Amino acid sequence: MKLHFLSGNEHKIREFTAILSEYDIVVHKLALPEIQSLDPKEVIAAKLLAAHEQGVPEPAIVEDTSFWVGETGFPGPLFKFMYARLGRAGIVRFARAFNATTGAAECHIGLLAKGETWFVSGKVTGKIVDARGENGFAFDPIFQPDGYTKTFGEMPEEEKNKISHRRLALMQLRDLLKEKL
């Protein structure tokens, strides 16, 4: 079955295709509007609608990653904008300013198929630490998942892909695809 994945992020594309290797993944690198919302479902739904209007066939999939600092309720889906402005060290300083030592990485996926939209998600909690490791991207070097001594940035891609928030969401997506399609 062909799945139409909308992303321009090479890291996400590589993780997505590695984890869902049994599917024929067609990547669409479109310039889609990214609305500003703390609700990832709103962000994803807007992207799916825009992709549909641009002629992307179903089933279409959009992924959005949130990163939560402690109990601040922020930045969540706005992480990429905060990261672009502050970088990893700035995110760590932000966490420390709020005495936040914990964080959560959350992957949300929207599936548009048969004219309906479904959502799944996966979440991994952990610690926010000074940057360690050169692997991964974005928050990977500053996020140490609970139960591990390494950050995502210190883990080889194969190891991260076994425990990541994206893997958890993609396993739910796999189940959803079997159920709905």
Side-chain angles (χ1 to χ4, degrees), residues 38-167:
L38 288 175
D39 182 348
K41 289 181 181 178
E42 287 180 10
V43 174
I44 291 168
K47 286 182 177 182
L48 283 169
L49 176 62
H52 178 73
E53 289 172 349
Q54 292 184 36
V56 173
E58 296 180 12
I61 297 167
V62 169
E63 185 265 11
D64 193 75
T65 299
S66 296
F67 187 74
W68 305 96
V69 174
E71 301 299 320
T72 66
F74 194 73
L78 303 174
F79 174 77
K80 84 176 187 179
F81 302 103
M82 189 173 181
Y83 174 69
R85 184 70 168 171
L86 301 178
R88 289 183 188 118
I91 300 294
V92 172
R93 282 192 307 275
F94 173 83
R96 288 183 179 148
F98 287 94
N99 295 317
T101 58
T102 61
E106 201 166 9
C107 175
H108 300 271
I109 298 174
L111 167 67
L112 175 62
K114 299 182 179 180
E116 293 188 56
T117 303
W118 295 280
F119 297 95
V120 296
S121 64
K123 182 177 181 179
V124 174
T125 58
K127 297 177 189 168
I128 297 173
V129 299
D130 289 323
R132 298 192 322 250
E134 300 297 322
N135 297 328
F137 62 108
F139 56 79
D140 288 352
I142 63 169
F143 183 68
Q144 180 180 317
D146 288 338
Y148 292 84
T149 58
K150 295 190 270 187
T151 66
F152 276 166
E154 293 174 299
M155 294 178 184
E157 190 172 286
E158 302 78 30
E159 183 178 358
K160 177 190 171 194
N161 285 350
K162 290 179 182 176
I163 64 164
S164 75
H165 51 298
R166 190 164 291 111
R167 177 180 187 81

